[in-house]
Amino acid sequence: MMSKNASFKQTRWRALFAASLLPILNACSQSYVVLLADEDGSLGKVSVTNNQGSTVLEKNLEGADLSGSAGQVYAVSQARIQQDFGSALASSPQKPLSYYLYFEGGSTQLTPESAADVPKIIAEIKRRPVPDISVVGHTDTVGDEKLNAALSLQRAEAIATLFTETLPDTDKISIESHGEKNLLIATPDNTDEPKNRRVEVTVR
C-alpha cells in the first residue's frame, strides 16, 4: 500500500517497469519501492515523492521508503524481494519468446543449425502451463511470388507438425504464410538470401 501523502512515478520506460515496481506494506508497516532491472538488463528510473521531497531510484535493487527522507535509498536483498514479492512475481505472466528457424533453398528442410534449435523450442513449450504458439512462414525472393506463398505455408505447417506431439491441442498453434513479403533482409527480386528463408516461432 502507498502512504497517503506519498507518490512515485517512473520516467521514460514506464511500461517496462510496470511489473517490476512493487510497493508493499512490510512487517513494520513501512511501504517501500524497489527498482528491478528487466530480463534484458535494461533499467529506467523511479521517482518517489512525499512531503519531505523526492527520491530517485536509478540502480537495480535500489529501494526507498515511501515516507522516508528525500534522497534516502538503500539496497534491497534478493532474499527480502523474494519474501515480500515472491508470490506476486511467481504469478506474473511469462513473456513471449520468439525464434527464427532457417531453411535450405526452395525446400521445407531446415538447415542443420536450425534443426538443432527445435528441441530448445519444444522445451520452452513444455515449460509453459498453457502454451500458445504462432508459426509464420517466409521465403526469399527467388522464383514466383505465388509459389513462394505456397512454400512459406508448407514451411510453417512442417514446423507446426513438430510441435503437435508436445501440444496435441492444435487450436493453440496458429499458422500464417507471408511468402516473400516481410523480408528480414531487404533485397531486390530474385535474390537468394538465407536469412529470408525462415519460419518465425513465437511461444506465449
Side-chain angles (χ1 to χ4, degrees), residues 67-80:
S67 58
S69 301
Q72 190 172 59
V73 299
Y74 51 85
V76 182
S77 69
Q78 290 285 4
R80 184 179 180 188

Side-chain angles (χ1 to χ4, degrees), residues 2-9 30-31 47-56 64-72:
M2 186 184 304
S3 171
K4 183 178 179 180
N5 296 319
S7 64
F8 64 87
K9 66 178 181 179
Q30 176 59 63
S31 299
S47 177
V48 181
T49 302
N50 59 26
N51 54 13
Q52 300 184 61
S54 295
T55 301
V56 178
D65 293 336
L66 289 181
S67 58
S69 301
Q72 190 172 59

